[in-house]
Amino acid sequence: VPAYLEHMIGELHEDTWFSMSGLSSVVRTTRGTRPGDPFADVLFNFVAAKVLHRVQATLASRGLTVKVAWDGCRTFHRQEQAEAEDVSEVTWVDDVVFLLCDDDPERLVNKVSELTGIVYDHVAAFGMKINLQPSKTEAIISFRGAEAANWRRTIFVRQDSRIPFTSQIDGQLSLVVGMEYKHLGGVVDYKNGMRREITVRAAQGIANARPMRAKVFANRDICVESKSQIASCYALSHNLYNAANWPKLNKSENRAFH
């Protein structure tokens, strides 16, 4: 970044303030970007990219990555001849998902703890702090095999749905482990299936259509075709949101969907 541009951006964030209706004075900001400024997103992306590059390097050096088959083609279709690449995370704007797997459940839990500490400290090094509250930052763990039920009891009952981790900056902390996580209208659950999301979408569609039940759907003066169009607009639009990204549904999920 040229020096003059760096100084210009710095000047934009000196002595910033805002006011609003109901306040008798102004609010002066001394940290972060200017509230409500679209340029804040640009600055955040610059910082986030630098943080993620350092996190990726550290995770790769610790072996905290997963193998993903990819041939370089951006598609949802499975590639039979693709080569495996090391991947540590998937990022969408300011949301990040870190990926881990292991044949041994105890090692997997230890990996989650180690990774969380690494990410937490790298973010803190840039003056930011990860929100560890439920529904903000959580782990979703899909245990498989003979010990799956025992490990679910260990995490969700004995450890009260938390995994402890150590921060070099803030000491002992804990990460919430959830059974499901809602993000951008979708639901990811620990069973790694689609039934939960299908159920949630159906409930949303019914909730949107319910206010029109008496005046529209039970109204004999409105033809069936018009009712069908209204239902498609208000109910099916919720049911099918992002459905193009769903994997192939199994028999149980197909029954729930139809």
Side-chain angles (χ1 to χ4, degrees), residues 38 40-52 89-97 183-184:
D41 295 334
V42 177
L43 292 179
F44 175 82
N45 285 336
F46 272 108
V47 176
K50 197 165 186 177
V51 174
L52 282 175
E89 43 76 33
V90 177
T91 304
W92 172 253
V93 191
D94 59 347
D95 295 307
V96 187
V97 176
H183 180 66
L184 296 179

Side-chain angles (χ1 to χ4, degrees), residues 189-203:
D189 73 345
Y190 76 96
K191 294 182 179 179
N192 199 27
M194 294 301 302
R195 190 178 181 88
R196 176 59 180 160
E197 179 164 347
I198 291 170
T199 303
V200 170
R201 294 292 177 81

Side-chain angles (χ1 to χ4, degrees), residues 9-57:
I9 294 173
E11 183 62 29
L12 284 173
H13 292 81
E14 287 289 335
D15 298 321
T16 57
W17 57 272
F18 72 92
S19 186
M20 57 191 300
S21 177
L23 290 180
S24 58
S25 59
V26 299
V27 177
R28 181 170 180 262
T29 56
T30 58
R31 294 182 61 187
T33 52
R34 297 192 298 182
D37 187 353
F39 192 56
D41 295 334
V42 177
L43 292 179
F44 175 82
N45 285 336
F46 272 108
V47 176
K50 197 165 186 177
V51 174
L52 282 175
H53 285 151
R54 295 191 180 184
V55 170
Q56 289 169 350

Side-chain angles (χ1 to χ4, degrees), residues 192-195 198 247-256:
N192 199 27
M194 294 301 302
R195 190 178 181 88
I198 291 170
K248 185 178 179 180
L249 304 181
N250 59 34
K251 290 182 179 180
S252 173
E253 292 165 347
N254 259 314
R255 285 195 298 269

